Amino acid sequence: MRMENFWDYSVWGSLNLIACLLLSLLLANTLKRKIKLLRASLIPTSVLGGAILLSISGFYKLFTGNVFFDTLFFGGNGMATLEIITYHCLALGFIASAFKTSDNKMTKQRGAEIFNTGVTTVSTYLIQGIFGLGVTIIAALFVKEFFVAAGLLLPFGYGQGTGQALNYGNIYETQFGFSGGKSFGLTVAAFGFICAALGGVIHLNILKRKGKINWINSEEAANDTLSSEDIQTENEIPMQGSIDKMTIQLAFVLVAYLITYFLMTALGAVIPGMKSVIFGFNFLLGVLSATIMKTVVKWLRKTKLMNRQYLNNFLMTRTSNFFFDIMIVAGIAAIRLGIFQHYWAILLIIGLGGALITYFYLAFVCRNLFPEYENEQFVAMYGMLTGTASTGVVLLREIDGEFKTPVADNIVYQNFPAIIFGFPIMLLATLAPVKPYLTWGILLAFFVIMNIILFRSKIFKFGKNKKTAKN
């Protein structure tokens, strides 16, 4: 029987690493509040914290030749731990968000706007994938042994964020032999955060100069004063009883994730060839598990078998934000800078080109389909589809601090249609390394179909008008 010494790094390494992640967030928050340029940049604190750790690890590697996070202080295998943290925090953040409830009523118009937002999200994934895969198909013709499907990590890094960029980078690395695949995906995601912040601020400045918006540009003005109803609604369990309410929220989240593990294990046993892909969908199956649990809780309350309300929106929001912050800072810190030595030009082309294509495509869609709140919809979607949903909300609050437009709800509820239409893209990601040209053609055809669905009202209205004119 092996006995652990409590002073060994094997006991302290993981805790030291988590403490380091949180310390970087504190330092980044202090820098953002004290340095005006950083405060005005809208770069998320978690991105800045990750960049600080990435810089430290880069200098450490330069001067010592060793990997900073693989030192004994972090248990000797810190880089792998960072990747595991990123993987799990993605799903845990989504699960916590799925447990939140909403009392908003759905109208036909609101339903159409939410549906269009979801279809726009998927269409943006597709155009990012078409561009990224096209770039690396061409690059593979000139760069010896370059992984031809690397560009398909663009929609995962930009459209879906750090966690999915890591997931599919890992699949490419372990199943298809793309050396540095995880780091390539994480680097693309880091580019996305930078483009979201800088591009969003530039766009807001342009709108401000044209007199189209009133830019709040104040962190204090954007903060809402919380009432007691925002923190705790009627008939909820007390904040501090025999068990703390925060403990209850974490218990729900982790039990849902446990159910998710059993679901993934069962599916992996039924379809062993898809095991890596199934476990890459941990966030999606996590949302499903949380939704089932939330439905059961509602039924228990309806039948009076449960008399008190256990789920709390305020604490679930704090929980999801915590997991997303940790995910982002860990994901950026896990980037291996050595990949830049070989692929820096390709990464720059994919990163900058992907941001520009996303910008102009979303500008066109928002101008035509969301004319009543075009600017608000654009900044939120651009931030979300290059960074994360939280980045989009940060940009939105600069011009719609009280959420008077329905954009915030669009961003939240669009996930359901986006998951339905976006699921095939995730499957195509595993086809791309084998048949890149066929995959590119399917992405293009799918993009055309999605835009016909997206602009259905204008396309078929035009057809009807043309037919009426002939008569």
Side-chain angles (χ1 to χ4, degrees):
M1 179 178 176
R2 183 187 174 190
M3 299 292 293
E4 290 285 356
N5 294 318
F6 291 139
W7 54 84
D8 284 348
Y9 286 121
S10 60
V11 175
W12 286 91
S14 296
L15 285 176
N16 289 342
L17 183 60
I18 293 171
C20 189
L21 296 177
L22 294 172
L23 178 61
S24 73
L25 285 170
L26 291 175
L27 178 58
N29 185 63
T30 302
L31 293 175
K32 277 205 68 174
R33 294 187 67 85
K34 298 297 182 182
I35 301 176
K36 185 177 181 181
L37 180 63
L38 289 177
R39 188 166 62 249
S41 70
L42 293 183
I43 295 175
T45 301
S46 52
V47 174
L48 184 58
I52 291 170
L53 291 180
L54 184 62
S55 301
I56 292 171
S57 65
F59 282 114
Y60 187 87
K61 175 76 173 178
L62 180 66
F63 290 111
T64 68
N66 299 318
V67 178
F68 177 67
F69 289 109
D70 283 346
T71 57
L72 282 176
F73 182 76
F74 298 113
N77 198 26
M79 291 297 283
T81 305
L82 286 172
E83 292 168 357
I84 291 169
I85 289 171
T86 304
Y87 170 79
H88 286 310
C89 283
L90 172 70
L92 292 168
F94 271 104
I95 289 170
S97 296
F99 273 119
K100 293 163 58 180
T101 57
S102 175
D103 297 325
N104 292 331
K105 293 182 178 180
M106 189 66 63
T107 64
K108 186 176 181 180
Q109 181 182 351
R110 291 294 302 118
E113 290 170 345
I114 291 168
F115 178 80
N116 286 341
T117 303
V119 175
T120 302
T121 297
V122 177
S123 295
T124 308
Y125 293 164
L126 289 165
I127 199 170
Q128 289 171 344
I130 290 166
F131 173 76
L133 183 57
V135 169
T136 53
I137 285 174
I138 295 172
L141 298 175
F142 300 97
V143 181
K144 187 179 179 182
E145 297 182 356
F146 180 72
F147 187 69
V148 68
L152 204 51
L153 291 172
L154 178 61
F156 294 109
Y158 274 31
Q160 298 189 19
T162 309
Q164 280 298 85
L166 174 65
N167 283 344
Y168 278 89
N170 181 59
I171 290 172
Y172 284 168
E173 187 168 325
T174 56
Q175 289 195 6
F176 299 100
F178 178 23
S179 179
K182 289 181 287 188
S183 190
F184 193 98
L186 291 171
T187 304
V188 170
F191 262 115
F193 284 117
I194 295 170
C195 291
L198 296 182
V201 172
I202 291 170
H203 182 78
L204 289 173
N205 273 292
I206 292 172
L207 292 178
K208 184 181 178 183
R209 289 195 191 99
K210 291 182 177 179
K212 293 185 177 181
I213 62 168
N214 293 318
W215 187 358
I216 300 171
N217 197 24
S218 170
E219 188 177 89
E220 289 76 16
N223 288 331
D224 297 325
T225 301
L226 293 171
S227 64
S228 59
E229 290 78 13
D230 295 322
I231 298 173
Q232 181 165 313
T233 57
E234 186 180 358
N235 204 35
E236 284 192 10
I237 59 173
M239 192 65 71
Q240 291 180 340
S242 58
I243 183 172
D244 193 272
K245 187 184 284 192
M246 187 67 193
T247 306
I248 295 288
Q249 312 309 305
L250 289 172
F252 271 100
V253 171
L254 291 172
V255 168
Y257 202 33
L258 180 63
I259 294 171
T260 303
Y261 173 76
F262 289 135
L263 282 174
M264 292 188 297
T265 302
L267 288 172
V270 174
I271 320 172
M274 294 286 289
K275 194 169 184 178
S276 293
V277 177
I278 290 167
F279 274 82
F281 288 137
N282 63 331
F283 74 101
L284 182 56
L285 292 172
V287 170
L288 176 63
S289 300
T291 303
I292 292 171
M293 286 182 64
K294 188 167 67 172
T295 303
V296 170
V297 169
K298 286 183 179 179
W299 177 80
L300 290 173
R301 292 205 65 204
K302 188 176 181 180
T303 57
K304 305 299 182 182
L305 293 173
M306 181 185 291
N307 297 319
R308 306 295 295 275
Q309 174 64 26
Y310 285 84
L311 297 172
N312 178 275
N313 280 2
F314 175 78
L315 292 179
M316 280 298 182
T317 301
R318 306 283 75 75
T319 302
S320 64
N321 288 347
F322 169 78
F323 285 127
F324 286 140
D325 281 340
I326 295 297
M327 178 196 74
I328 293 168
V329 70
I332 294 175
I335 293 172
R336 297 181 187 270
L337 293 173
I339 197 167
F340 283 103
Q341 297 175 4
H342 306 288
Y343 305 134
W344 65 269
I346 297 171
L347 281 165
L348 283 176
I349 292 170
I350 290 175
L352 295 177
L356 289 173
I357 285 176
T358 302
Y359 180 95
F360 288 111
Y361 176 70
L362 290 176
F364 175 78
V365 170
C366 294
R367 184 168 60 251
N368 285 277
L369 296 183
F370 303 93
E372 295 179 4
Y373 47 90
E374 172 192 344
N375 294 321
E376 292 83 357
Q377 181 79 6
F378 172 81
V379 295
M381 293 210 71
Y382 175 78
M384 179 179 71
L385 291 168
T386 49
T388 62
S390 60
T391 314
V393 172
V394 168
L395 291 171
L396 174 64
R397 294 190 72 162
E398 293 299 313
I399 57 176
D400 185 18
E402 297 180 2
F403 296 141
K404 293 180 179 178
T405 67
V407 175
D409 284 342
N410 290 352
I411 297 300
V412 172
Y413 297 118
Q414 60 86 32
N415 283 295
F416 184 69
I419 287 171
I420 293 175
F421 287 113
F423 187 78
I425 303 174
M426 299 179 182
L427 298 179
L428 284 173
T430 57
L431 177 65
V434 182
K435 296 184 178 180
Y437 294 98
L438 175 62
T439 303
W440 191 88
I442 294 173
L443 288 172
L444 183 60
F446 195 15
F447 177 72
V448 172
I449 292 170
M450 293 305 295
N451 277 274
I452 291 173
I453 295 172
L454 185 59
F455 292 98
R456 62 197 178 281
S457 60
K458 294 185 176 293
I459 293 171
F460 294 113
K461 182 179 179 181
F462 174 76
K464 288 179 181 179
N465 292 340
K466 191 174 181 181
K467 187 176 181 181
T468 304
K470 286 183 178 180
N471 293 334

